[in-house]
Amino acid sequence: MLPVSMGEGGRMTLKKTCGLPVAGREAGAGGMAVARLSTLHWEPVTPAMLPQWELALCLLASLGFHFYSFYEVYKASREHEDELDQEFELETDSLFGGLKKDPTDFEWNFWLEWGKRSLVWLFLGHLAVSQLATLLAKKLRPWIVMVYGMWACWCVLGAPGVAMVFLHTTIAFCVAQFRSMLLSWLCSLLLLSTLRLHSVEEVKRRWYKTENEYYLLQFTLTVRCLFYTSFSLELCRQPPPAQRALYSFPWLLAYVFYYPVFHNGPILNFPEFCRQMQQPELSSPKHSLCLLAKGVGRLLCWWWLAELMVHLMYMHALYSSIPLLESVSCWTLGGLALAQVLFFYVKYLVLFGAPALLMRLDGLTPPPLPRCVSTMFSFTGMWRYVYIPLGGSQHGLLGTLLSTAMTFAFVSYWHGSYEDLWCWAALNWLGVTVESGAQRLLEMPCIRETLTRYLSPQARRRLHALLASCSTSMLILFNLVFLGGIHVGKIYWYRIFLQGLEVIVITIQLTKMCCSVGDIALWGQKGEWPG
């Protein structure tokens, strides 16, 4: 998310809070840490453990709770439409019969504007160049698409933008030659910190005519940091004589300037990118056309759904109006929370879906799209870069706590190092730590034997769903701190959990339990577990 707020002296400050799923070994490499709370592991189960009628009932109950709470948000939006229009200037368009649109989600509007302005055409240009290179000069394709990426960068960011990306990449490459993870991390953090120096910001602003161009440069440099960090850390893991040609400056430039993921991700780690570019899984023209048609159709559906949400429910405007947030009903408050995180999920299906489609057409395997924003709200992949080098779970309890804390600290610093983000990171670190302790407790032989003796497999699954519902509720609360700020999180904590609203709390838990039962059944059928 990219909310804009007024800083000291009326200066606009930018908070970048986006997620970048990653692909690669060990569930991905090249992004941040997994910060999920619903990871309690139980023994594998057979697919049809619970009766089908019970699963169907849970699904219907969950859908009923969701749609009723969304209806309450819709009613509140209509009731306070004039007030919100006066404060936030709601937009009117003809997309949904003249319904007004909530324009206060900066990130969604920012990328839609850039997409219409130039990014869609540059993506189509990449597709054409890549396909022609595959047909006419397959061995040169990595370098052809690299040159195209540099040209596309020059088209939207100008010569200064290309120079800044090239400068950061060159510095990171030089430091990586020392093959020190510590130096590579320090280099990446220092380069990241230069993006927030006021004097540097003012110089970069003078390069462009509009604020949106400056923001695009900032976002691009922030995401490029993850790419050259991936290269540096992978190089540090390699023995000195191994694959010197692969870990070269030209291949780093091809990796950094690969245009479909240039501005906003998602991220494919460096070894996977090189391997797949050298040996792409190319398909026939007919299959590629079918893939393109299906992909564009899905993107249009996701875009339409996201637009429908901001036309029917003014969730972002309501979140920005603290008096209204404090006065709406608890059903509306719950619906706002669900609408906020679900919109975030659908939004990234669009923002990551377009680059992922181009990657597939290039013969690359993109990282998986978010499964659900309520359980995936951070980057995946950098876990082994931060967590494992710091000791992981191999150095006892203190080592595990330190590794997890450092992981979330880097995530917060990369996103912008704002107070809200540090609070979000601390809450998630606490949640992961508590859940890890609960998992160890449940894995004790005496506890497992007791549960097996006194609870049937069906009862154990229901207990699992109940515990997971508690984690999911806290997870959504922590996401609201991430998306709306500390004050929004405090309002939810006070009104839902501290005002004695037992019925609301029970209803929320039943809703989440219904979702968890269905989710556990789905993953049980696949023979694997989330987390």
Side-chain angles (χ1 to χ4, degrees):
M1 189 177 178
L2 301 170
V4 177
S5 58
M6 300 303 294
E8 295 180 2
R11 185 172 63 88
M12 294 182 74
T13 60
L14 191 66
K15 185 191 299 182
K16 178 173 177 61
T17 57
C18 63
L20 300 175
V22 195
R25 300 187 302 267
E26 302 173 21
M32 304 302 127
V34 177
R36 294 171 49 193
L37 303 184
S38 54
T39 58
L40 291 174
H41 297 283
W42 292 59
E43 70 277 4
V45 294
T46 55
M49 180 179 292
L50 290 181
Q52 291 298 318
W53 67 265
E54 184 175 349
L55 294 177
L57 181 62
C58 288
L59 176 62
L60 290 176
S62 176
L63 291 175
F65 286 134
H66 279 74
F67 281 116
Y68 181 74
S69 61
F70 289 159
Y71 175 68
E72 290 294 321
V73 177
Y74 170 78
K75 289 200 306 182
S77 300
R78 303 279 81 77
E79 180 182 350
H80 301 285
E81 183 173 357
D82 293 337
E83 182 179 347
L84 294 173
D85 189 15
Q86 184 177 2
E87 184 175 358
F88 300 105
E89 299 181 355
L90 302 178
E91 298 177 355
T92 302
D93 56 38
S94 58
L95 183 61
F96 294 99
L99 286 176
K100 292 185 177 180
K101 174 184 175 180
D102 181 357
T104 54
D105 186 88
F106 176 80
E107 184 181 28
W108 179 245
N109 293 311
F110 176 85
W111 289 115
L112 283 186
E113 179 182 340
W114 270 107
K116 297 173 184 177
R117 178 176 172 181
S118 57
L119 294 187
V120 168
W121 306 110
L122 292 173
F123 280 177
L124 291 175
H126 169 89
L127 176 61
V129 169
S130 179
Q131 295 301 314
L132 287 174
T134 301
L135 293 174
L136 303 177
K138 186 176 179 180
K139 292 184 177 180
L140 298 177
R141 191 181 68 139
W143 319 118
I144 294 174
V145 296
M146 176 192 73
V147 173
Y148 177 84
M150 292 179 176
W151 175 81
C153 176
W154 178 82
C155 287
V156 292
L157 296 176
V162 177
M164 287 297 297
V165 175
F166 192 86
L167 176 63
H168 281 214
T169 303
T170 303
I171 294 173
F173 178 80
C174 293
V175 173
Q177 301 311 302
F178 291 100
R179 293 179 176 271
S180 168
M181 283 195 173
L182 177 60
L183 288 179
S184 295
W185 272 116
L186 289 176
C187 175
S188 296
L189 291 173
L190 287 174
L191 290 174
L192 200 58
S193 67
T194 61
L195 303 180
R196 296 155 194 164
L197 295 176
H198 179 67
S199 57
V200 177
E201 288 180 345
E202 292 303 317
V203 171
K204 287 185 288 190
R205 275 188 168 91
R206 289 197 291 268
W207 294 344
Y208 301 106
K209 297 179 180 179
T210 64
E211 284 288 290
N212 274 0
E213 292 175 304
Y214 162 74
Y215 289 150
L216 184 64
L217 174 63
Q218 289 290 87
F219 303 157
T220 302
L221 291 174
T222 303
V223 175
R224 293 306 91 200
C225 175
L226 297 178
F227 280 74
Y228 56 69
T229 301
S230 173
F231 170 87
S232 300
L233 298 180
E234 289 288 356
L235 179 59
C236 293
R237 297 170 66 89
Q238 301 297 323
Q243 297 179 309
R244 295 296 297 179
L246 184 62
Y247 288 87
S248 62
F249 191 63
W251 269 108
L252 175 58
L253 290 179
Y255 178 53
V256 169
F257 282 97
Y258 181 67
Y259 196 70
V261 298
F262 186 72
H263 296 292
N264 196 37
I267 302 171
L268 192 68
N269 71 318
F270 180 74
E272 288 294 323
F273 173 82
C274 294
R275 181 185 65 80
Q276 295 182 30
M277 285 295 287
Q278 291 174 328
Q279 299 176 343
E281 298 179 1
L282 299 176
S283 55
S284 64
K286 181 179 179 180
H287 182 268
S288 296
L289 285 176
C290 292
L291 183 64
L292 178 62
K294 291 178 181 179
V296 171
R298 281 194 296 266
L299 285 173
L300 290 176
C301 289
W302 293 332
W303 167 81
W304 181 85
L305 179 58
E307 284 291 309
L308 180 65
M309 292 180 71
V310 294
H311 279 80
L312 294 180
M313 298 181 289
Y314 305 147
M315 46 198 159
H316 301 99
L318 287 169
Y319 265 113
S320 302
S321 178
I322 299 302
L324 289 179
L325 200 60
E326 292 176 337
S327 62
V328 296
S329 68
C330 288
W331 272 108
T332 304
L333 204 62
L336 281 170
L338 292 173
Q340 181 85 322
V341 295
L342 288 177
F343 177 81
F344 189 81
Y345 165 59
V346 175
K347 174 171 64 177
Y348 272 98
L349 289 179
V350 177
L351 297 183
F352 287 164
L357 175 59
L358 291 175
M359 293 175 72
R360 289 191 185 94
L361 294 171
D362 284 345
L364 307 183
T365 302
L369 295 176
R371 184 171 61 89
C372 179
V373 75
S374 64
T375 56
M376 297 180 68
F377 56 88
S378 184
F379 301 176
T380 60
M382 194 61 81
W383 185 265
R384 71 188 183 98
Y385 283 147
V386 184
Y387 182 72
I388 294 176
L390 288 171
S393 59
Q394 305 301 316
H395 293 167
L397 179 60
L398 291 179
T400 302
L401 294 177
L402 175 63
S403 301
T404 310
M406 292 300 293
T407 299
F408 283 113
F410 180 79
V411 173
S412 299
Y413 187 75
W414 185 89
H415 277 88
S417 193
Y418 292 89
E419 182 183 4
D420 297 342
L421 297 172
W422 288 112
C423 179
W424 165 82
L427 289 171
N428 279 284
W429 174 80
L430 179 63
V432 169
T433 301
V434 170
E435 188 172 82
S436 178
Q439 179 182 334
R440 294 188 181 189
L441 180 65
L442 291 173
E443 289 176 349
M444 294 177 62
C446 59
I447 300 295
R448 295 180 70 89
E449 291 175 4
T450 301
L451 292 175
T452 304
R453 182 182 307 167
Y454 293 103
L455 294 178
S456 66
Q458 293 88 348
R460 291 200 299 274
R461 172 176 284 191
R462 296 183 185 102
L463 178 60
H464 184 187
L466 178 62
L467 295 176
S469 70
C470 298
S471 295
T472 304
S473 297
M474 291 297 101
L475 190 58
I476 291 178
L477 176 64
F478 300 164
N479 272 327
L480 294 177
V481 174
F482 181 80
L483 297 172
I486 295 176
H487 193 64
V488 170
K490 287 181 177 179
I491 291 175
Y492 272 86
W493 176 256
Y494 179 74
R495 293 197 59 191
I496 300 298
F497 295 98
L498 297 185
Q499 278 192 339
L501 300 173
E502 293 87 355
V503 175
I504 299 298
V505 173
I506 293 173
T507 302
I508 292 174
Q509 290 305 107
L510 286 175
T511 303
K512 293 306 162 191
M513 183 175 177
C514 291
C515 296
S516 299
V517 167
D519 189 53
I520 292 169
L522 173 63
W523 285 88
Q525 291 172 356
K526 293 181 179 180
E528 53 185 330
W529 291 97

